[in-house]
Amino acid sequence: MKLNLLIALVLPLAFYAQDSKSTGYSTGDYPNGFSSGSANIHPFDNSSRLFRDWSISVGGGGAFMHSADVNSFYDGDVDFGWNAYVSLDKQITHTFGMSVQYQMGKTNQKAMLPGAGGVAAGVATAYTEYQQVSLLGDINFSNLMRRVDNHSPYRWALHGYLGVGLQGYDALLLDNDMSRYSVSPPRSPINIEQKIGLDTFFYQVGTGLKFNASKLIDIEARAMYVFSGDDSFDGGGFGKNARPAYNSLVSGTDNMFTVNLGLSFKLGKNDTHLAWFDPLQNINDRITNLDNANMDFVVCEKGDLDSDGVCDDWDRQLDTPAGARVDGAGVALDIDLDGVIDLYDKCVTVPGSPSNNGCPTDIK
């Protein structure tokens, strides 16, 4: 049974395996047995690139703690934070790219405990200083959804982002009661330091609107929502039973969002970046241009002097007699090769004397 199974697997490989000797392959020769057969191919190296596909992006803006026990939106006010990022971006196709990103920032937030605890502590203030390293996937929605039956310039693009990463942070919360600096009675603020480690995963999703400012620079407005997966990210303490009980105000983990304005510097020597190239529109444009091209072919630019149907540009006999049949080069036909063209030859298939109208001398 095992032998039969082995034969069934090996035989197709034996029959369809490609013999490298039969391909005529040699380094640098195209086309060859390993190529598609097209002559318009090149070695797979940097010199064969048609587009820019690497870029470096930088940006910054506001950071806000949201959906957290201690958040940036309290009592109708907004406590602004900041963030900045830098990333190395690789465009894989015209619709998909990947980025390695480093981001740092600080959020500011407030909260108040309910009941007597809130009266004693007052409004607590907190901040979270964070650092994040993440891997981002980038989907170019404009290249997925845009029409290709037009010739409009492609300057704006809507992008979607989804990523995962690791984060570390330092959070501090102060109030007027238990979370404060005091020797008598002894008190200390809630201070949480989380180092970046394999267990500090976070997830983020967002969108951005890019403008193709030039072949070197893109401008982008971007908004990202970060799911921290950590109930201490806002500085409220460790766990639901922490004292003071800021972590009991809202259920769930602490999340934040950022709003940024950034620049992307496109690297490379080619004129077009792959993110701004749409192959479907390119194909459609080429077909349209061919359909609308004027077919202004000039035939017989020098004319046909002897009117034999062969243009003078390639006519080897410009004085062919009228009515004579000619070959493709404009030479009068002489089927029997006796020196008398068929027009005057009375014995077309029999060689003869020119003095006897192309017939043998024994035929009058």
Side-chain angles (χ1 to χ4, degrees):
M1 181 65 182
K2 293 183 178 180
L3 179 60
N4 293 337
L5 181 59
L6 178 62
I7 293 175
L9 292 174
V10 171
L11 279 180
L13 296 177
F15 279 112
Y16 296 103
Q18 180 173 324
D19 183 1
S20 61
K21 295 182 179 179
S22 66
T23 62
Y25 172 76
S26 61
T27 304
D29 292 337
Y30 294 98
N32 55 54
F34 299 105
S35 72
S36 63
S38 170
N40 188 26
I41 56 177
H42 306 278
F44 188 71
D45 54 28
N46 287 331
S47 64
S48 64
R49 291 179 183 270
L50 299 178
F51 310 99
R52 300 171 186 257
D53 54 5
W54 287 95
S55 60
I56 294 176
S57 298
V58 295
F64 308 90
M65 192 68 68
H66 179 262
S67 182
D69 303 283
V70 190
N71 64 69
S72 300
F73 304 91
Y74 179 80
D75 197 23
D77 294 329
V78 179
D79 293 296
F80 286 86
W82 64 271
N83 83 96
Y85 69 87
V86 60
S87 66
L88 178 63
D89 315 315
K90 167 66 175 178
Q91 196 68 30
I92 309 300
T93 71
H94 69 292
T95 58
F96 180 72
M98 296 291 292
S99 299
V100 177
Q101 177 177 280
Y102 170 78
Q103 179 173 288
M104 63 181 297
K106 179 182 180 181
T107 62
N108 295 298
Q109 50 266 9
K110 294 178 181 178
M112 186 173 182
L113 294 173
V119 174
V123 177
T125 60
Y127 69 78
T128 301
E129 296 178 340
Y130 65 90
Q131 299 182 63
Q132 298 173 337
V133 179
S134 60
L135 183 65
L136 278 177
D138 175 4
I139 298 178
N140 189 333
F141 288 116
S142 293
N143 255 344
L144 285 176
M145 300 183 296
R146 69 190 299 261
R147 293 177 57 173
V148 297
D149 58 345
N150 62 72
H151 301 277
S152 60
Y154 186 21
R155 302 296 296 274
W156 295 91
L158 179 66
H159 289 249
Y161 300 100
L162 180 65
V164 61
L166 304 174
Q167 68 175 359
Y169 60 88
D170 183 4
L172 179 71
L173 183 144
L174 294 170
D175 65 18
N176 295 326
D177 188 20
M178 296 181 65
S179 180
R180 64 188 179 94
Y181 292 103
S182 174
V183 176
S184 179
R187 296 282 192 269
S188 62
I190 299 175
N191 185 209
I192 301 173
E193 292 187 19
Q194 175 65 63
K195 303 297 183 181
I196 294 180
L198 297 179
D199 58 343
T200 60
F201 276 103
F202 74 94
Y203 307 90
Q204 60 182 333
V205 62
T207 185
L209 183 63
K210 280 191 176 183
F211 176 68
N212 186 11
S214 71
K215 69 178 183 179
L216 297 178
I217 296 176
D218 290 343
I219 302 173
E220 181 182 23
R222 182 189 296 186
M224 300 293 296
Y225 197 85
V226 176
F227 301 89
S228 73
D230 190 335
D231 196 28
S232 303
F233 187 53
D234 61 352
F238 290 106
K240 294 297 182 183
N241 298 320
R243 291 292 180 267
Y246 289 100
N247 264 359
S248 299
L249 295 176
V250 178
S251 62
T253 60
D254 305 325
N255 305 321
M256 75 169 188
F257 69 89
T258 61
V259 179
N260 297 321
L261 185 64
L263 298 174
S264 293
F265 301 94
K266 294 171 278 191
L267 308 177
K269 298 180 179 180
N270 300 94
D271 289 335
T272 304
H273 193 277
L274 184 54
W276 296 104
F277 178 77
D278 187 342
L280 291 178
Q281 187 186 45
N282 179 261
I283 293 172
N284 185 77
D285 287 347
R286 292 191 180 194
I287 294 174
T288 301
N289 291 335
L290 288 174
D291 289 342
N292 297 330
N294 294 323
M295 309 298 285
D296 295 331
F297 294 108
V298 179
V299 180
C300 289
E301 184 176 358
K302 296 181 180 180
D304 182 9
L305 183 63
D306 52 10
S307 301
D308 60 359
V310 179
C311 297
D312 291 349
D313 297 295
W314 53 82
D315 196 333
R316 294 172 56 193
Q317 190 177 61
L318 297 175
D319 56 351
T320 305
R325 295 184 301 161
V326 297
D327 59 16
V331 177
L333 292 178
D334 179 12
I335 293 179
D336 54 12
L337 302 176
D338 59 1
V340 180
I341 64 174
D342 294 350
L343 179 65
Y344 304 132
D345 198 332
K346 293 185 177 181
C347 298
V348 176
T349 60
V350 180
S353 172
S355 61
N356 196 28
N357 297 320
C359 293
T361 54
D362 57 344
I363 300 177
K364 301 297 183 179

